[in-house]
Every structure is written in C-alpha cells, then in structure tokens.
Amino acid sequence: MRLPDKTCTIEDAIARIPEGATVMVGGFGVPGTPFTLIRELVRQGQRNLTLIKNDANERGMGIDHLIANGQVARLITTHIGLNPRAIEMLNAGHLAVEFNAQGILAERVRAGGAGLKAIVTDIGLATELADGKPRIEIAGKPALVETALRADVALIHAHRADVFGNLDYVATARNFNPLMAMAADMVIAEAEAVMPLGDLAADEVHTPGPFVDHVVGLTEISEEYAVVRR
Amino acid sequence: MRLPDKTCTIEDAIARIPEGATVMVGGFGVPGTPFTLIRELVRQGQRNLTLIKNDANERGMGIDHLIANGQVARLITTHIGLNPRAIEMLNAGHLAVEFNAQGILAERVRAGGAGLKAIVTDIGLATELADGKPRIEIAGKPALVETALRADVALIHAHRADVFGNLDYVATARNFNPLMAMAADMVIAEAEAVMPLGDLAADEVHTPGPFVDHVVGLTEISEEYAVVRR
Amino acid sequence: MSDARNRMVARAAREIAPGMVVNLGIGLPTKVVDHLSADFPVCLHTENGLSGIGPTLPPEAANRNLIDAGGAYVSTVPGSAFFDSAVSFALVRSGRLDLTMLGAFEVAETGDLANWKIPGKFSPGAGGGIELAQKARRVVVLTTHTDRAGNPKLKSACALPITARACVNRVFTDLAVIDITPAGFTLRELAVGVSLAEVTEATGAALLLPGGEIPTF
Amino acid sequence: MSDARNRMVARAAREIAPGMVVNLGIGLPTKVVDHLSADFPVCLHTENGLSGIGPTLPPEAANRNLIDAGGAYVSTVPGSAFFDSAVSFALVRSGRLDLTMLGAFEVAETGDLANWKIPGKFSPGAGGGIELAQKARRVVVLTTHTDRAGNPKLKSACALPITARACVNRVFTDLAVIDITPAGFTLRELAVGVSLAEVTEATGAALLLPGGEIPTF
C-alpha cells in the first residue's frame, strides 16, 4: 500500500471549476488567503460564482479581484468592512451578501465538512441575523437551526503539503482553511512547499490527505502576502 | 503578559470531583485512556458517577475499575464488547448504558465543547438508536436532533503538556481526548511529560491551554499501557 | 483460514480500485490487507483516527499507542496522518470514504444490513458501524453464506435490528459474489467448485441470474 | 490618545484579574494591552486563532502570517497556541473566555449592546462581535460617553440593531465607570475632574448613585 500522488498544475486544477460553482476560499484578512489560486480563477474567468469566505479581503487583493471582474454573484461572509468596493456593490444591489456571525460561519462550514445536516445554536437569537431561520426548543429554550454549508470547490492556502495532500498551516494563516478543506466536493490546495511522502509527521498534520483532491505547489509567494505598511 | 501555571497534584485534582458528577474519559481501547487519573478516582471513591467514554475498556483495566467498584451509575458510550463485566451489569440492570453511534458521540461531545446546543444528522434514522429522539426536516428530509453533551469533569491523557495546559497527543491515543478536553467545566489532563512554557510549538498544539484547568505530570507510565499479547 | 474463505477475501481485495480511501471492518475484512501489494495506491482508514494504515505488527514490534479500531497493533506508511474521532467520522460522513468492507449477521435483498445486535444475546453497541454502513460511497459485505447452523444470511428481509437501510452494494461469500440491484440479489460470480443449485439453496431470497456464463473466482 | 481616553484605558486594564482569558475587541480595547506588565498572568485571545498574544510589532519585525482580528501584526509569548476558527469560537461560546472588552455605538440600561450596524451608513457585518458579546463570562465596554455630535451613547434602550441582549456588565467611558445592575445604570467611579452633574447630563437614562463617596480614576 502506498498513498497516491495528487500534485497537479494550477491551470488544470482551476479549470475543473465550472461556471456557477459555489467556492469556499480560506483566509482571514491576508493570512491563509490562496492568492495564487484566486489569480488563476480570475484569469480563467468562470462567472456567476457563489463565494464563501470570512471577509472580502481589501481593495485590489484576493477575492476583490473576482468581485471587480464581475465573477461573483453572491458572497456568504462575516465582515466586509475593509473592502469599500464590496460594500458599494452590496449597497447598489450588484452583489448579494449573506452575513453570518463569524463562529457560526465556521461551524456551518465545519458541519458541512463533518457530514452533518445542521447545527443548533442560541447565537444571534436577538439579532436580525436570526430573521427567517427555523427555531426549535432545546431543553425548553429557543434556538436557531443553522444549516450546514458545503461547496463544489474549496480553495486552500497551506504552509506545506505532501504529495498525498496532507497539509499544515502556519500561525494565524490557519483560520478557516482546515474547515473548508473538509467541506467541498473538490478541494484544491496551494502550498508554499510540497514535500515527499513522510516529510510531514503524522501527528502534526492539520488536514489529513483524504480530504484533499489536488495539490498545487507555489513557485513564488504572491506579493499580496507582503507585510502591509499602513 | 505571561501564561499562568496550572500544574497540580493528582490528589488535589481528583478531589475536586464531587459525588454524582458527570465525567468524560478520553481513550479508545488502551491508547489515550487516562489510567492514572482513573486509579486515583477509584482510590478516592466518588460514587454515583455518569461516565462518558467511547468504550468500557477491558476487564481489569481503566474504567472497569470504577464499574467494579460500584462508582458508576450510568455510562454513555458506543461499544462495550470487550468488557464482559459491563455487559453483565447492563443485562442485570445494575448499570444504565446509553449507546450512541461512535461518530455521533464524538460530535455530541464536540458540540458541547463548541458551545452549541445540538447537531442535526441523518445517522441512525433507520435504527433503534433513533427511538425517542426529536426529528426535524432539513431540506425536506427527516433528520435527528442530537443534543450536545457536556460534563462536569473531563479526564484526559496527553503525550505532552506545558504548564499552561497546552496539550499534544500521539498516534491513535488522540481519539476522543481533544474533544472531551473542550467539553467539560473542569478539565484535568495527565501528561507523560510536562514541559516549560514555549517547549510545545504553537503550531503543533492539539488542545489549546485555555480549555485545560489542571495539569498532572505522570512520574511513571501505568502498566495498563503495556502492549497486550493476545 | 479455509481455502474457501481465503478465496473470498482474495476476491474482495480486487474490489479495491487504485486511489481509493478504504475502511476495512473488524473480522474477515481486516484480512483483505494481506492481499494488497506494497506499491498498490490506496489509503486505508481506521475510525479510531488514522489514514494510511501499514502492516499489522507482532507484539514485540508494536507501538502501545498505535492500534486499529479492532485493537490490532498496526503501523503507518509514508504520508500517514493521525486525527481525532470527530475528524475521523467527518471523513466517513462527508463522502470521503470510497469503500467500506463490513461483516454481517444478515443482508436483505433490499440492501438492508444487520450486523450490530442480536437481542438478548449480543448487544455491545454499534460502535462506528452505522456510519460506515450508511455513508461510505460503496458498501460491500464479507460473510459466510450461511450461519453456523446452516441458515441463510442473505434474506428477503432482516429479522435482526437494522444497522442501515439499503446500504449494501455487493456481498462476497464463500460461495458467490452477489450484487444488490433494484430487482434484488443478483448472482455475479461463483466460487470455484460451487454449483448454482448450492448457492440458490443457501440463499434465503430469490437469486436473479444474469444472462450468459457465470464467471468463477 | 487624549489624557481622558488614556485614563479610561488604564482603568479598564485593572479590570483584568490574574489568570483570566481575555479577548480585546478592535479599537480602544486593543490599547489595554499597553497597560499590562510583562509578568502579569493573563492569556489574551484573538478570534482569528491565537491564545497568548504578545506585543504588537512594527512592520519591519512583523510576521506576514501573524495578525490579530483587527489586522495588527502581533507576536506570541512562550506557551502560545494557534488553532482554527471553529476552535477559536468554541473557546468563546463554551465559557472559556473570562472577559471581553468591546466598543459600542449604544449601551442600554438593560445591558443591551449595539455595536455592529448603523442602517444605511455602516453595514460591514458583525464579524465575531455577536458571539463575544453573548458568550464571554463578563462583557465590559470601552467607549466615549457621547458620540461626536454630543449625543449620549448610554441610553434607556438601543435604537440601533442589537448585537446581544442583556450582555454588558460594565462600561468604561472618558467620564465614568458605570455598572449595569438589575436597577439600571449605576455609577461606580468618576474620572478625575469630572462632576456628577456632567455625567448625569451626558447619560441618556437614569443614573443610580450608590451611597457614600464616589471614587475617582
């Protein structure tokens, strides 16, 4: 028994994304955003996408390129305050945005990755985010049913990958990546380094290889990763 | 800012467990079972406990000591096939046992640790395990509401701990430990080695310290951990 | 293991396609691993938290912290990963498990499986069996064709408590390979030296015969 | 930062008891970290996945992969741990967060908090604010007593969309320290040089005065 090799060119990996796909994108701000995969998706130009991402990056970075390019029909997110373009498009009715509490977005994605149908929570009960969501009682108290989220594709940024798709992440670049790497029918990971089998210690893997479909090695680190001097 | 020290004697840690407590116990078979903490709980003798553990260990090992000692009123578990004493006591009506599908027990514990009220799943719908559980519809299909599990105390076996309670686990000794280490009001971890702050790499921690209340260093490894020659 | 059982296990091993993620249940299915070559591309999963199971080890070479779900001391391969029980079943329930091989007390012609409980006799709990049966993309069963008393294990309906409904795709027995199709049990292959009459006799429901010659294994 | 704000932040820092796990919200609360000594036993948490935040770093010393939830480049301390967003909010929702310090648009005398949306003007989404407000064991607010137009931010009821109901325990402003009690806003301390009349005037609801002298900060 040996574990199969899942390395792939970025062109081939992104070409598997169809028009109209639902795409999860890792990252919280800059760290963990798969900038290189996103750039290739901009280049190939698939349209009418639903994106699921914590935030909308900043103007001129990450998924803002997809939004600016008119490829995004809908965004499921928690906070887009750092991207004025996304806010303008939301206000003008050119981008449908669904807001979630941040930890609930994380749990909905995780529930999708865990093959659950929904989670039940009291988070946001008093807020307008609860509007229209089914309510049930647990131990006599009201709670919201938040359905699981899955995607056709997840775009992941890893620190290291082995050729089978075992991944690790570094520092706060982990964030939504391990959750999304479980929650899509096709998981594409870009990695700053691709290692031979056995070079990632089995106890230190953050995303087990069986969840990952395609591994893309990065030949250079996107300049969008540079430290921002505000 | 420095992180506080949570090291503690085993006697003091276990003495905090009251009679009638609900206690989660890590482990799947031998690996990850906190044998030394269990032995101290047997010595101190708190009774009327509800245990939550994947299995009942084997006769003469682990939580079988608690069962034999009459300390366990109820067991929430997935499979007790390797412990004939537990099965006998179940059949004789001396031990109340609630069976769960294994991954659903894991998710119920995790949901407790994640501050969720319940999960919604289609697992077990056709089985007698679904009897009496609330059903709701998700996307037009029936599903079960499985309530979150929390405990008063979790007993955890870690490979290494630092003094703040960051933990890691080794090989298949991980199993339910990281889940239970999030899901109890008081989390007590025994560790094969206790390290100074900074000796566990921040990217390689499996259970973050904020979840852990008391760290007990093991001076020797329980003989119950020896490789079994069947 | 008898020749017939060994042939059944060897035949079942050929069910594994290159690149699959596979969970081998406790008992007979575990033996399938002995029929996979060292360079066959496959990822074996065990629900207690390991992807990439390597060969089983004797006690003197065993790692006290490294077992499979059946308690056997196993090893890793290059590229193995350990994870917790929630992640392990996330993999099962979310469709990442291509194939599971399970034992059975009874299989119904509808694909219903009973393999976890004999009321009054055997009630240890279901462990991970329900999720494996319900959620693996393909479920195959390895079992003797009849029980020790000679009664059929393949039946029109399960009498024992169900593990999961309409989950079994194929059954490997010491006598035959049988698919569960919308029309019921369908014979695909016969064990060498076993007659059609023998299999029909040992099966507790109608057995459909496809046209043409029936291959042997 | 003005003297008054600096005093408010310094006073808020004294709210942190040894051994606490604390989340400091974006804006003024972040400044509290400058008032904690290097050997004070505390664990700072940021919801993007770090326990054990160390000092903020200038760009030339920054790690491109290490930020807090507000996007500032931070550092670690010995014993820090990184985790994913699900684990990070598990910590918040399951009661492991002893204290959070948040900003506010409005605080009601019932403890209701509004700090995420001004309809038609500011609707970036709630981020992690709802869970912090609803689930931290203790929620304190740091805010100027009035908005830029001089209108009270402490009111009998919130006019803006709610973040969480009955969640705020205490408010630190440039003028006063005020507790939310079952009876409403209760004055605990006055900023140096601020009169009782000034605070009462600037508060948009009844302000209860406990007996005895009111301490200053």
Side-chain angles (χ1 to χ4, degrees):
Chain A
M1 293 96 60
R2 70 176 165 79
L3 298 172
D5 187 317
K6 300 175 182 172
T7 54
C8 181
T9 68
I10 189 167
E11 295 80 5
D12 287 354
I14 297 298
R16 293 167 183 266
I17 305 177
E19 300 268 327
T22 296
V23 182
M24 289 182 178
V25 184
F28 185 121
V30 166
T33 302
F35 290 116
T36 308
L37 295 178
I38 292 167
R39 283 286 195 170
E40 178 63 16
L41 184 53
V42 170
R43 193 187 70 79
Q44 294 193 12
Q46 289 92 326
R47 302 180 73 83
N48 197 25
L49 303 174
T50 293
L51 296 190
I52 303 175
K53 188 182 189 299
N54 176 62
D55 54 79
N57 289 118
E58 299 178 41
R59 193 189 283 262
M61 293 181 71
I63 67 164
D64 181 59
H65 295 304
L66 290 166
I67 295 170
N69 203 28
Q71 293 175 256
V72 183
R74 186 154 171 261
L75 175 63
I76 300 175
T77 189
T78 79
H79 192 278
I80 60 172
L82 293 178
N83 188 332
R85 188 202 314 272
I87 293 179
E88 280 161 31
M89 288 180 67
L90 164 63
N91 290 338
H94 296 139
L95 179 67
V97 180
E98 178 196 316
F99 288 111
N100 289 256
Q102 193 167 95
I104 297 306
L105 182 65
E107 286 293 328
R108 291 180 69 194
V109 170
R110 188 197 167 278
L116 303 175
K117 301 300 177 191
I119 55 164
V120 181
T121 178
D122 61 350
I123 294 297
L125 265 177
T127 73
E128 61 184 54
L129 293 185
D131 295 350
K133 289 178 180 162
R135 290 177 183 230
I136 60 173
E137 288 208 345
I138 301 287
K141 291 183 181 169
L144 298 172
V145 178
E146 295 270 8
T147 52
L149 286 172
R150 280 189 69 84
D152 299 306
V153 182
L155 303 182
I156 302 301
H157 180 86
H159 177 50
R160 297 181 300 173
D162 69 20
V163 298
F164 179 56
N166 289 301
L167 309 179
D168 72 6
Y169 310 97
V170 71
T172 57
R174 192 179 317 187
N175 56 67
F176 282 76
N177 277 302
L179 311 171
M180 292 176 169
M182 295 164 67
D185 293 345
M186 180 171 62
V187 174
I188 304 171
E190 62 171 46
E192 299 193 11
V194 177
M195 329 288 286
L197 289 177
D199 276 21
L200 289 186
D203 281 319
E204 292 165 19
V205 167
H206 294 143
T207 293
F211 289 106
V212 176
D213 298 288
H214 305 293
V215 174
V216 174
L218 296 178
T219 49
E220 59 183 345
I221 303 303
S222 164
E223 63 187 17
E224 292 167 293
Y225 259 118
V227 168
V228 181
R229 293 164 187 271
R230 292 175 204 278
Chain B
M1 294 96 60
R2 68 175 166 80
L3 297 173
D5 187 317
K6 299 174 182 172
T7 54
C8 180
T9 67
I10 190 168
E11 294 81 4
D12 287 355
I14 297 297
R16 293 166 184 266
I17 304 176
E19 299 267 329
T22 296
V23 182
M24 288 180 179
V25 183
F28 185 121
V30 165
T33 302
F35 289 115
T36 308
L37 295 178
I38 291 168
R39 282 285 194 171
E40 178 63 17
L41 183 55
V42 170
R43 195 187 69 78
Q44 294 192 14
Q46 289 91 326
R47 301 180 76 84
N48 197 25
L49 303 174
T50 294
L51 296 190
I52 303 175
K53 187 180 189 301
N54 176 64
D55 54 79
N57 289 120
E58 299 179 41
R59 193 188 282 261
M61 293 182 71
I63 67 165
D64 181 60
H65 295 306
L66 291 165
I67 295 170
N69 203 28
Q71 292 174 258
V72 183
R74 186 155 170 263
L75 175 63
I76 300 174
T77 189
T78 78
H79 193 278
I80 60 173
L82 293 177
N83 188 330
R85 189 202 313 273
I87 292 180
E88 281 162 29
M89 288 180 69
L90 164 63
N91 290 338
H94 296 139
L95 179 66
V97 179
E98 177 196 317
F99 288 112
N100 288 257
Q102 194 168 93
I104 297 306
L105 182 66
E107 286 294 327
R108 293 180 69 194
V109 169
R110 189 197 167 276
L116 303 175
K117 301 300 175 190
I119 55 164
V120 180
T121 178
D122 62 350
I123 294 297
L125 264 177
T127 73
E128 60 184 55
L129 293 185
D131 294 350
K133 289 179 180 162
R135 289 176 185 230
I136 60 174
E137 286 208 346
I138 302 286
K141 291 184 182 168
L144 298 173
V145 177
E146 295 270 9
T147 52
L149 286 172
R150 279 189 67 85
D152 300 307
V153 182
L155 303 183
I156 302 300
H157 179 87
H159 177 51
R160 298 181 300 172
D162 70 20
V163 298
F164 179 56
N166 290 302
L167 309 178
D168 71 7
Y169 309 96
V170 71
T172 57
R174 192 180 316 186
N175 55 68
F176 282 77
N177 278 300
L179 311 170
M180 292 177 170
M182 296 165 65
D185 293 346
M186 180 169 64
V187 174
I188 304 171
E190 62 172 46
E192 299 193 12
V194 177
M195 328 289 287
L197 289 176
D199 276 22
L200 289 186
D203 281 320
E204 292 166 17
V205 167
H206 293 143
T207 293
F211 288 107
V212 176
D213 298 287
H214 305 293
V215 174
V216 173
L218 296 178
T219 49
E220 58 182 347
I221 303 305
S222 164
E223 63 187 17
E224 292 168 293
Y225 260 117
V227 168
V228 181
R229 292 164 188 271
R230 292 175 204 277
Chain C
M1 200 154 47
S2 71
D3 274 6
R5 286 198 188 194
N6 199 48
R7 235 186 343 261
M8 161 174 66
V9 171
R11 173 62 189 86
R14 287 193 280 125
E15 193 73 5
I16 301 177
M20 276 186 166
V21 180
V22 180
N23 182 295
L24 301 175
I26 298 169
L28 273 179
T30 311
K31 308 293 182 194
V32 169
V33 72
D34 300 331
H35 295 268
L36 297 173
S37 72
D39 70 341
F40 189 84
V42 64
C43 177
L44 299 181
H45 163 264
T46 180
E47 58 266 36
N48 59 323
L50 167 61
S51 57
I53 310 178
T56 306
L57 298 177
E60 58 276 14
N63 173 347
R64 65 180 162 90
N65 288 308
L66 181 41
I67 63 172
D68 68 14
Y73 293 104
V74 294
S75 56
T76 56
V77 297
S80 289
F82 294 112
F83 34 80
D84 67 42
S85 296
V87 170
S88 192
F89 281 94
L91 188 155
V92 175
R93 286 189 307 263
S94 69
R96 287 288 173 179
L97 192 61
D98 298 302
L99 174 67
T100 190
M101 297 196 174
L102 300 173
F105 300 151
E106 297 176 330
V107 178
E109 61 185 359
T110 54
D112 292 1
L113 173 66
N115 75 350
W116 74 285
K117 186 172 185 176
I118 303 174
K121 275 193 179 170
F122 178 79
S123 303
I130 294 172
E131 284 155 297
L132 291 169
Q134 199 174 329
K135 292 296 179 180
R137 289 188 177 273
R138 184 168 171 81
V139 176
V140 304
V141 161
L142 272 73
T143 180
T144 53
H145 211 95
T146 54
D147 68 16
R148 284 174 198 175
N151 301 310
K153 297 177 89 169
L154 282 69
K155 306 173 72 172
S156 53
C158 293
L160 294 171
I162 288 293
T163 306
R165 289 217 184 279
C167 63
V168 179
N169 300 106
R170 173 169 277 197
V171 183
F172 296 95
T173 78
D174 45 341
L175 305 186
V177 178
I178 292 173
D179 277 348
I180 282 83
T181 68
F185 291 127
T186 303
L187 184 66
R188 295 298 183 206
E189 300 177 27
L190 279 172
V192 170
V194 172
S195 72
L196 189 55
E198 263 178 279
V199 176
T200 306
E201 171 71 18
T203 302
L207 183 63
L208 306 176
L209 307 177
E213 201 179 349
I214 294 169
T216 55
F217 68 93
Chain D
M1 198 154 46
S2 72
D3 274 7
R5 286 198 188 192
N6 200 47
R7 236 185 344 262
M8 162 175 63
V9 171
R11 174 61 190 86
R14 287 194 279 124
E15 193 75 4
I16 299 176
M20 277 183 167
V21 180
V22 180
N23 182 295
L24 301 175
I26 298 168
L28 273 179
T30 311
K31 309 292 181 194
V32 168
V33 72
D34 300 330
H35 295 268
L36 297 172
S37 72
D39 69 341
F40 189 84
V42 64
C43 176
L44 299 182
H45 163 263
T46 180
E47 59 267 34
N48 59 323
L50 168 61
S51 57
I53 309 177
T56 306
L57 298 177
E60 58 275 15
N63 172 349
R64 66 182 162 90
N65 288 309
L66 180 42
I67 62 172
D68 68 14
Y73 293 104
V74 295
S75 56
T76 57
V77 298
S80 289
F82 295 111
F83 33 80
D84 67 41
S85 295
V87 170
S88 193
F89 281 95
L91 188 155
V92 175
R93 287 189 307 264
S94 70
R96 288 287 172 180
L97 191 61
D98 297 302
L99 174 68
T100 189
M101 298 196 173
L102 300 172
F105 299 150
E106 298 176 330
V107 178
E109 61 185 359
T110 53
D112 291 1
L113 173 67
N115 75 349
W116 75 284
K117 186 171 186 179
I118 303 174
K121 275 193 182 170
F122 177 80
S123 303
I130 294 172
E131 284 155 296
L132 291 168
Q134 199 175 327
K135 292 297 180 180
R137 290 189 177 272
R138 185 168 169 79
V139 176
V140 304
V141 162
L142 273 72
T143 179
T144 53
H145 211 96
T146 54
D147 67 16
R148 283 174 198 176
N151 300 310
K153 298 177 88 169
L154 283 68
K155 306 172 72 171
S156 53
C158 293
L160 294 172
I162 289 294
T163 305
R165 290 218 184 278
C167 63
V168 179
N169 300 106
R170 174 168 276 198
V171 184
F172 297 95
T173 78
D174 45 339
L175 304 185
V177 178
I178 292 173
D179 278 349
I180 282 84
T181 69
F185 290 128
T186 302
L187 184 67
R188 295 297 182 206
E189 299 177 29
L190 279 172
V192 171
V194 172
S195 73
L196 190 55
E198 262 178 281
V199 176
T200 307
E201 172 69 20
T203 303
L207 183 63
L208 306 176
L209 308 177
E213 200 178 349
I214 294 170
T216 56
F217 68 91

